[in-house]
Amino acid sequence: MIMTMGSRQELQAVLTALFSALDDEAAGENTASPATVSLDHARSGADLERLCRPEQLPIAAGLLDDKGFMLEAITGVDWLERQEFDVWYDFIHTGVPDYRVVLRCSIPREKATLPSLCTIFSAANWHEREVFDFFGIHFDGHPDLTRILLPEDADFHPLRKDYTP
């Protein structure tokens, strides 16, 4: 159900309730629950910034799709000192001007894999290929996870902090 032009406060309340339900489900699994990181647009550039476990990513993205969001971008961040990658998913609402949501997933560098969002957002196709190209992060279920910007025979990922040309 796509939301019609409503207020930012209405949308915030709906999303907070939906994500709280995900937190309750995670608590029932006796695992660390994701959390809302920020509701401060001036600080983060998003109206809602959310940590998300990898297995919950497709569920959270599906909730955003149902509420009229579109995927704008996916990017990676290499935290070499923590041996982790963050993958950031930027969404914008199609009916509430400039309402942005960021989903963030942290994954270990040695097992850099996330579920693909291509079946939910077709725009994820090229974004995931770019993140794979530059960081070496794999997206399970991606229909064609091949190089998109670097040469096909490239055996490196240039945005990893331990990359040396």
Side-chain angles (χ1 to χ4, degrees):
M1 172 181 154
I2 294 177
M3 289 190 77
T4 58
M5 281 291 270
S7 72
R8 298 174 80 77
Q9 293 80 12
E10 285 176 48
L11 187 53
Q12 194 81 14
V14 167
L15 292 176
T16 301
L18 288 171
F19 287 134
S20 291
L22 278 179
D23 289 345
D24 293 344
E25 179 182 315
E29 296 169 1
N30 206 13
T31 59
S33 174
T36 298
V37 176
S38 174
L39 299 173
D40 183 3
H41 185 83
R43 184 191 75 74
S44 69
D47 296 282
L48 179 63
E49 188 179 334
R50 185 90 192 150
L51 297 177
C52 196
R53 292 195 331 263
E55 63 272 14
Q56 289 186 316
L57 180 62
I59 299 166
L63 292 172
L64 293 174
D65 182 39
D66 289 346
K67 297 301 175 196
F69 283 83
M70 69 176 215
L71 179 65
E72 261 192 325
I74 303 172
T75 192
V77 179
D78 187 358
W79 300 107
L80 185 59
E81 64 282 356
R82 294 189 331 223
Q83 290 296 299
E84 289 182 335
F85 288 115
D86 273 358
V87 179
W88 294 42
Y89 297 81
D90 296 304
F91 298 88
I92 188 164
H93 197 273
T94 57
V96 178
D98 299 323
Y99 191 94
R100 297 190 175 328
V101 173
V102 173
L103 297 180
R104 289 187 351 201
C105 285
S106 291
I107 53 174
R109 286 179 108 241
E110 70 274 359
K111 188 176 186 268
T113 303
L114 285 169
S116 175
L117 296 185
C118 286
T119 59
I120 301 167
F121 293 99
S122 59
N125 188 317
W126 285 20
H127 293 299
E128 289 175 356
R129 288 177 62 196
E130 182 181 24
V131 171
F132 165 72
D133 224 2
F134 290 137
F135 291 94
I137 297 169
H138 290 265
F139 293 89
D140 283 342
H142 191 284
D144 181 29
L145 196 59
T146 56
R147 298 284 186 168
I148 190 169
L149 297 170
L150 295 177
E152 289 180 24
D153 62 345
D155 62 353
F156 58 91
H157 304 285
L159 293 185
R160 285 182 174 227
K161 288 187 177 172
D162 54 359
Y163 168 72
T164 53

